[in-house]
Amino acid sequence: MKNFNYTQILSVTMILFAIIDILGSIPVVISLRNKVGHIQSEKASIVAMLIMILFLFVGDEILDIIGLDISSFAIAGSIVIFIIAMEMILGINFFREEVPESASIVPLAFPLIAGSGTLTTLLSLKSEYDTQNIIVGIILNMIFVYIVLKNTIYLEKLLGKTGLHIMRKAFGIILLAIAIKLFRNNTGL
């Protein structure tokens, strides 16, 4: 087994941190918590971590079995991200409100944390970095995600209603740009 490479771990951690963007998801997390009443931070973090590690090992094979390529997967993810961004920017819901008992697994662990952008990124990281370094990067990110999820009430108080509203709109625009970039990169438009 190869040795851990701290440069690779740092690079993978920073790339995944930018893709997961849990800080940008704070308004979405707070909105979900307000709808369902409680978010299980531990469950969401562990499930997202397991999804990412599993996809790291069998992602290519899963997509091959169901006849999908990475581009199709990324395009589908870009459309979901686009709709979430439009909800954030316009303040309306496109989907019929089905209030789940818990938002910890869907939509929090998947697709918000371990979404198509993250999973697609993992497949591309696999070609450049050693697997054990990618796993350490995933674990470090999930520790940070857990801390953020556990402290959403404090963050909500810190930011206030106006701060959350501004942050939600701003990150909605950023999400929209990410969705468009994902779509363009994978369609060649």
Side-chain angles (χ1 to χ4, degrees):
M1 186 173 190
K2 298 174 187 170
N3 293 330
F4 288 100
N5 180 316
Y6 297 107
T7 305
Q8 282 193 13
I9 291 170
L10 182 63
S11 294
V12 168
T13 302
M14 296 310 292
I15 291 166
L16 288 175
F17 181 79
I19 295 293
I20 294 169
D21 190 23
I22 193 63
L23 294 177
S25 299
I26 290 171
V28 178
V29 173
I30 290 169
S31 173
L32 286 170
R33 194 197 71 232
N34 290 340
K35 284 181 185 175
V36 298
H38 175 67
I39 293 212
Q40 296 169 314
S41 310
E42 301 87 357
K43 190 176 184 180
S45 303
I46 290 169
V47 168
M49 181 176 68
L50 292 175
I51 289 170
M52 285 189 264
I53 291 172
L54 181 68
F55 202 79
L56 179 65
F57 288 102
V58 295
D60 289 325
E61 290 80 10
I62 291 172
L63 293 179
D64 284 342
I65 289 170
I66 55 178
L68 291 176
D69 57 12
I70 294 172
S71 293
S72 300
F73 189 72
I75 291 168
S78 74
I79 294 169
V80 171
I81 293 169
F82 181 86
I83 293 169
I84 291 170
M86 292 306 290
E87 286 183 341
M88 290 173 72
I89 294 166
L90 301 175
I92 58 172
N93 291 326
F94 288 101
F95 299 109
R96 182 171 52 96
E97 284 294 314
E98 292 179 21
V99 179
E101 290 178 26
S102 170
S104 300
I105 305 295
V106 176
L108 193 53
F110 180 83
L112 199 62
I113 298 168
S116 64
T118 305
L119 299 179
T120 306
T121 301
L122 285 172
L123 291 182
S124 57
L125 288 174
K126 203 161 100 169
S127 65
E128 291 183 48
Y129 299 98
D130 295 329
T131 302
Q132 73 271 11
N133 296 325
I134 297 172
I135 292 171
V136 173
I138 291 170
I139 292 168
L140 290 173
N141 271 281
M142 289 305 99
I143 291 168
F144 186 74
V145 165
Y146 170 76
I147 291 167
V148 170
L149 293 178
K150 202 71 179 163
N151 292 293
T152 54
I153 293 172
Y154 169 74
L155 293 168
E156 185 177 19
K157 287 178 185 172
L158 180 72
L159 296 169
K161 282 196 180 284
T162 306
L164 279 175
H165 182 74
I166 292 167
M167 196 172 169
R168 183 174 175 85
K169 300 292 183 193
F171 281 107
I173 292 168
I174 292 168
L175 263 185
L176 190 61
I178 290 170
I180 291 168
K181 181 180 179 191
L182 250 178
F183 186 84
R184 286 183 63 202
N185 288 347
N186 290 283
T187 58
L189 296 176

